[in-house]
Amino acid sequence: VQLAESGGGPVQAGDSTRLSCSVSGIGSARYCIAWFRGGTGPEREVVGSFDSNGRTTYKESVQGRFIISQDNAKNMFYLQMNKLKSEDTGMYYCAADQKMCICTNGICLNEFKDWGQGTRVTVSS
């Protein structure tokens, strides 16, 4: 599975931005796409997830501000980020697992083997 993030950049606190994740090569009808912040190692935190049933989960600190959606025709996934705060600053990655999400409230038990290169969001106040 190949993933590539785009979007991001500098934004002002309180503003909105949208990250995109282009996904190709998913060979399963079941999949989980997750957005991470911070890195691809153990320090990473799950921002939210989206699975092939359209179920979404979010980390508590972004609940109500961030929305994950899919454009099936374009094989794109989006992370709409609203009411941005300085603590939202960081590298954002999308990742895929060809299984249903095992995620809740910022925790995912899936093994994400495929990652994008990341895109940085910098929120200034």
Side-chain angles (χ1 to χ4, degrees):
V1 181
Q2 293 77 46
L3 303 100
E5 302 92 343
S6 60
V11 292
Q12 294 289 317
D15 284 352
S16 299
T17 194
R18 188 179 77 167
L19 306 184
S20 300
C21 176
S22 172
V23 181
S24 62
I26 290 182
S28 172
R30 299 182 177 184
Y31 55 82
C32 178
I33 302 295
W35 284 94
F36 289 84
R37 179 165 67 197
T40 60
E43 75 286 0
R44 70 195 186 203
E45 57 178 356
V46 178
V47 174
S49 66
F50 183 104
D51 70 21
S52 46
N53 281 344
R55 178 176 176 263
T56 55
T57 68
Y58 300 95
K59 179 179 174 67
E60 185 175 355
S61 64
V62 308
Q63 181 77 44
R65 299 190 296 123
F66 290 11
I67 301 170
I68 300 174
S69 62
Q70 176 188 25
D71 184 333
N72 215 1
K74 297 180 180 179
N75 293 328
M76 297 288 290
F77 293 84
Y78 303 102
L79 178 64
Q80 177 68 41
M81 307 166 68
N82 302 316
K83 300 180 181 179
L84 283 160
K85 304 176 180 180
S86 56
E87 52 262 42
D88 295 321
T89 293
M91 285 292 292
Y92 284 76
Y93 300 85
C94 58
D97 183 21
Q98 298 191 61
K99 296 178 181 178
M100 299 300 288
C101 289
I102 310 171
C103 301
T104 183
N105 197 19
I107 299 173
C108 280
L109 300 180
N110 298 72
E111 183 179 3
F112 294 97
K113 296 180 180 179
D114 301 303
W115 293 78
Q117 80 287 354
T119 186
R120 181 163 184 85
V121 175
T122 303
V123 184
S124 58
S125 56

